[in-house]
Amino acid sequence: QVHVVESGGGLVQAGGSLRLSCAASGGRFAINSVAWYRQAPGKQRELVAAITSGGRWHLADAVKGRFDISRNNALNTAYLQMNSLRPEDTATYYCAADTAYTLDGPYEYWGQGTQVIVSS
C-alpha cells in the first residue's frame, strides 16, 4: 500500500511564498507520476500541477509564472514551490500519486491534504 503525506502548508500574506512537499512510500512499484490538486471551500477540486519521473510536467494556467513543481525520484518526493501567492490560492492542497505515467490522472493514491491560507 502506498502512503502519501503532504507537508508545508500554512498561513502566509499575499505576495509571499510557501513550499509544499509530498512524500510517497510503500508499494511494490515505482511512483511515476505525482500531482498537486487543490480544493477551495465551495469549489470543485482542480489540478494545479503534475510531474512524471521522466520529466514531463504540467502547470495550470492560474498558477503559471508563480508556481513550480519538481521532484526527487530517488526520494519519491515531489515539491510545489508557490510564489507570489494570492488570496484566491487559499485552499486545501492534495498530493496524488500513481505508478502510471500520467499528468491529468486519474491518480490512485492520495494524501490527506494540507491547508494553505493566503491573507490579503
Side-chain angles (χ1 to χ4, degrees):
Q1 182 68 20
V2 175
H3 296 280
V4 178
V5 179
E6 307 100 333
S7 61
L11 173 64
V12 64
Q13 287 189 328
S17 299
L18 283 174
R19 189 174 86 150
L20 305 183
S21 298
C22 171
S25 61
R28 294 179 58 195
F29 304 102
I31 294 297
N32 288 310
S33 302
V34 178
W36 288 96
Y37 286 78
R38 68 185 180 186
Q39 187 166 22
K43 294 188 176 181
Q44 286 190 324
R45 185 173 62 191
E46 62 176 349
L47 175 64
V48 176
I51 190 167
T52 69
S53 58
R56 292 173 60 223
W57 54 271
H58 165 80
L59 285 172
D61 288 343
V63 305
K64 281 180 181 176
R66 301 188 297 122
F67 291 13
D68 182 47
I69 187 169
S70 60
R71 67 178 288 170
N72 184 321
N73 291 335
L75 298 179
N76 258 352
T77 301
Y79 307 94
L80 185 67
Q81 178 66 44
M82 305 186 295
N83 301 321
S84 301
L85 282 161
R86 304 167 179 170
E88 54 264 39
D89 295 317
T90 294
T92 300
Y93 285 69
Y94 297 92
C95 180
D98 203 283
T99 56
Y101 287 92
T102 182
L103 289 176
D104 57 358
Y107 289 87
E108 183 170 359
Y109 307 107
W110 291 80
Q112 294 299 307
T114 185
Q115 194 167 22
V116 172
I117 300 173
V118 184
S119 63
S120 57

